[in-house]
Amino acid sequence: MFVLLVGPKGSGKSHIGRTLERRLGVLFFHVEPLWMKYYAECKASSREPSIAEGIARVHPRIAAALEEHEHICVETTGASPEILNDLLSITEASKTLVARMAAPLDLCLQRIATRDQENQIPMDVEMIRKVYALSIAVPLQPDLNLENTALSEADIVSAFESTLTSLQPTPASGRG
């Protein structure tokens, strides 16, 4: 199963991904460091990064991980339609669980300000607000909606266990 966590920066996607890995054995494939490496390579070679080239560099690694592991989890803000659509096409919709994360902007900003920034794409507050607006506006029909203001690990496990076991195949047209 391919678990795709979609939500604004600071909505708790990484925390949920790590919880799924620890508690349910779902490999959390943290893509942000791969994107950061791609951006650094572009900067070092004095070229502009492109979403298409980044996708071509990062997403095949996700597909390869899906071949090696029964379950993997990836996160995205969904702010880039190209990235989101490509992630949704990595495997069939019936093998994809889309979980939408939500949290108030102020809470997201607080979480971002207090977390380790080492593996996070740096953004100023204005950009975080822009990505937040884009993320919450994504037209998406998720299999699971989570309001992550104070979810415990037990809450997260419970939500995903029941959804993973009850998820029925859905047509690809239901996503988007």
Side-chain angles (χ1 to χ4, degrees):
M1 179 67 57
F2 180 45
V3 178
L4 182 60
L5 306 176
V6 182
K9 290 184 80 60
S11 63
K13 299 179 304 292
S14 295
H15 171 70
I16 289 169
R18 288 188 298 271
T19 299
L20 295 176
E21 185 167 61
R22 261 192 325 275
R23 301 281 301 271
L24 296 176
V26 175
L27 173 70
F28 178 49
F29 193 94
H30 196 188
V31 296
E32 205 156 5
L34 298 174
W35 280 96
M36 290 171 62
K37 180 180 176 186
Y38 166 67
Y39 293 143
E41 289 170 1
C42 288
K43 184 177 182 179
S45 63
S46 299
R47 70 183 203 284
E48 285 294 315
S50 80
I51 290 177
E53 183 181 7
I55 288 170
R57 299 275 299 278
V58 174
H59 292 189
R61 295 184 65 181
I62 298 167
L66 268 168
E67 291 179 16
E68 296 175 22
H69 301 275
E70 183 177 4
H71 303 295
I72 77 160
C73 175
V74 173
E75 63 182 320
T76 183
T77 63
S80 163
E82 298 90 346
I83 292 172
L84 179 60
N85 290 333
D86 195 75
L87 286 169
L88 288 169
S89 72
I90 286 178
T91 191
E92 304 116 57
S94 64
K95 295 180 181 178
T96 303
L97 181 137
V98 178
R100 184 159 207 160
M101 308 303 118
L105 175 60
D106 289 342
L107 180 57
C108 292
L109 289 168
Q110 177 186 4
R111 288 174 175 165
I112 292 165
T114 59
R115 71 183 177 194
D116 178 7
Q117 299 293 319
E118 185 177 329
N119 289 316
Q120 303 291 326
I121 295 171
M123 291 186 185
D124 61 24
V125 172
E126 183 180 324
M127 181 57 79
I128 293 167
R129 289 177 184 277
K130 181 179 177 182
V131 169
Y132 182 92
L134 290 168
S135 182
I136 63 170
V138 171
L140 185 67
Q141 295 178 357
D143 301 300
L144 178 62
N145 280 299
L146 289 175
E147 179 67 32
N148 188 17
T149 54
L151 291 175
S152 69
E153 283 198 4
D155 294 334
I156 294 165
V157 168
S158 175
F160 279 89
E161 271 183 329
S162 62
T163 303
L164 282 169
T165 57
S166 68
L167 185 66
Q168 297 297 318
T170 56
S173 62
R175 304 265 166 77

